[in-house]
Amino acid sequence: MKNSHVFVSVVHYPAVNKDKKWVVTSFTTLDFHDIARPARTYELGGYYIVQPLEAQQFVISEQIKYWTEGFGATFNPRRAEAAKLVRLVSSITEAMEKIKEETGKLPKLIATSAKKYPQTISYKDMAEKIRKKDDVYLILMGTGWGMPEELVSSCDYILEPILGAGDYNHLSVRNATAIILDRLFSPNR
């Protein structure tokens, strides 16, 4: 795969609510395919769902099985191909460790945020770094009202916010992921 050194993750913990309190957000079945499919389209190394709650992990595990081994795999082989990229972990640290086991390198973290930070990097500059293939990367996609500022600030890179035509800036994680992956990997730039 062309971009097998890049991974994407949907982070259900840590997330923040509208009061900036740390919370665990719920997995939605829409996130499963609507992120796995662009991850496959842009030939990423994998898609990690970071979810620490056992009940949520059960639901996610069942969905992975259904689309990679069960009826879903034969019913819709194209979706099964994308579903093979999905991996379930309890924490960002666990995702990083698994990526290191797979690639031999600890990934550099790329945060996404609707806010601009002092160390924000443009999509053009980040895409150039990725194209060099010198490093392995894990793109962190926040849920709820985003990731805690402490987490975002601790990342190696922070992508510039997605800006719309006006001041409304509250995309779903599915929409934001598709836009970000397209900006970083599309040959249509």
Side-chain angles (χ1 to χ4, degrees):
M1 298 250 252
K2 185 176 181 179
N3 297 305
S4 61
H5 65 297
V6 182
F7 300 80
V8 67
S9 64
V10 170
V11 180
H12 292 285
Y13 183 83
V16 294
N17 64 16
K18 67 180 183 174
D19 299 321
K20 301 292 180 209
K21 299 226 184 314
W22 286 36
V23 296
V24 179
T25 58
S26 293
F27 165 78
T28 69
T29 54
L30 291 171
D31 294 349
F32 187 89
H33 291 292
D34 287 355
I35 295 175
R37 290 161 71 182
R40 177 61 187 95
T41 297
Y42 294 107
E43 298 187 347
L44 301 190
Y47 160 35
Y48 283 89
I49 300 173
V50 180
Q51 175 55 261
L53 300 178
E54 285 183 29
Q56 292 273 301
Q57 288 178 353
F58 175 78
V59 172
I60 298 164
S61 295
E62 288 299 305
Q63 208 167 40
I64 291 170
K65 279 191 249 176
Y66 178 81
W67 286 105
T68 59
E69 304 167 18
F71 176 74
T74 53
F75 176 75
N76 192 335
R78 302 289 289 180
R79 285 206 180 182
E81 187 178 341
K84 289 177 184 170
L85 293 177
V86 181
R87 296 161 187 148
L88 173 62
V89 291
S90 296
S91 68
I92 295 168
T93 302
E94 184 182 353
M96 293 173 70
E97 290 168 357
K98 289 190 178 287
I99 291 167
K100 185 178 180 186
E101 286 172 19
E102 184 178 332
T103 67
K105 292 183 176 182
L106 201 58
K108 293 196 177 283
L109 297 180
I110 304 172
T112 58
S113 177
K115 292 179 4 185
K116 198 163 190 172
Y117 285 77
Q119 66 270 45
T120 295
I121 187 169
S122 71
Y123 289 96
K124 181 181 178 215
D125 290 346
M126 192 71 243
E128 286 176 17
K129 288 182 182 297
I130 288 169
R131 268 194 300 279
K132 289 179 184 173
K133 297 188 178 184
D134 292 336
D135 292 303
V136 173
Y137 300 95
L138 174 60
I139 303 169
L140 304 178
M141 301 299 304
T143 56
W145 288 71
M147 294 178 286
E149 287 190 18
E150 301 93 329
L151 171 58
V152 175
S153 295
S154 73
C155 289
D156 299 287
Y157 304 99
I158 304 169
L159 284 173
E160 60 191 352
I162 297 169
L163 301 176
D167 62 357
Y168 186 84
N169 190 359
H170 194 71
L171 296 168
S172 73
V173 69
R174 297 172 301 285
N175 295 146
T177 302
I179 291 167
I180 288 168
L181 294 183
D182 190 69
R183 287 182 179 178
L184 291 174
F185 301 106
S186 176
N188 299 335
R189 305 189 259 280

